[in-house]
Amino acid sequence: MAISSFGVTLKWGESAETVAKVVDIKDFGDLIGEPNLLETTTLSDAQVTNIPGIRSGDSIPFTCNYTKADFDKVYADEGKPLYYELAFSDGSAFAWQGQHTVGVPGKGVDEVLEFTINCAASTPVTPKA
C-alpha cells in the first residue's frame, strides 16, 4: 500500500541517537542520486554500452516556512558535522551524515516567505535499519 508524505519529518543531531525534529519541512529533494554511467562500448558493439559507476549526489534541499525563530534554530547548526534522518509515517527512515547551509530564496507579491536547508551528505544516504 502506498503512503502519503503527511508526517514526513527531518531530524538532526550530534549523534545518530540524538537526532530530533528542529523545524517543520514543506518538501524534500532526491535522497539517493543516480549512478554515473561509465561507457564500455567497443568497436564491435552495435550500441553504446555502460556500467554503473559511483552514485552522484547533489545537495539535498528542504523547504521551510520562514519564521525568525525557525530560521535562527536552523542557522545555529549551519556548517556543523551532524547526523540526519528523514522519517516517514510508516516508521521507515533514511539516514546520513553531513552538513547543511541555509538559504532564503527571492519572492514576489503575495507569496509565502520561505527558507531552504541545503544538506551536503558526507556519507551515503541509506535506509535506516
Side-chain angles (χ1 to χ4, degrees):
M1 177 196 281
I3 62 171
S4 166
S5 59
F6 174 75
V8 173
T9 306
L10 175 63
K11 304 174 182 181
W12 69 76
E14 293 185 6
S15 72
E17 297 74 32
T18 63
V19 295
K21 178 180 160 184
V22 178
V23 295
D24 285 318
I25 59 171
K26 296 176 71 168
D27 59 31
F28 60 92
D30 296 343
L31 296 179
I32 300 173
E34 299 293 323
N36 292 322
L37 293 180
L38 306 177
E39 186 180 333
T40 58
T41 310
T42 70
L43 294 176
S44 299
D45 293 322
Q47 178 178 322
V48 174
T49 61
N50 297 284
I51 60 172
I54 296 172
R55 288 188 183 272
S56 62
D58 295 326
S59 68
I60 305 168
F62 302 89
T63 305
C64 307
N65 288 326
Y66 180 89
T67 68
K68 182 172 178 5
D70 281 352
F71 180 86
D72 288 348
K73 287 188 281 188
V74 175
Y75 188 73
D77 286 335
E78 183 178 57
K80 294 179 183 177
L82 297 167
Y83 289 76
Y84 295 86
E85 179 181 307
L86 190 66
F88 295 168
S89 62
D90 68 352
S92 64
F94 291 85
W96 68 94
Q97 294 175 46
Q99 299 177 11
H100 69 260
T101 58
V102 184
V104 179
K107 292 294 175 180
V109 173
D110 201 26
E111 293 183 315
V112 173
L113 294 179
E114 298 170 326
F115 69 95
T116 57
I117 301 167
N118 301 296
C119 191
S122 59
T123 64
V125 177
T126 57
K128 189 173 176 188

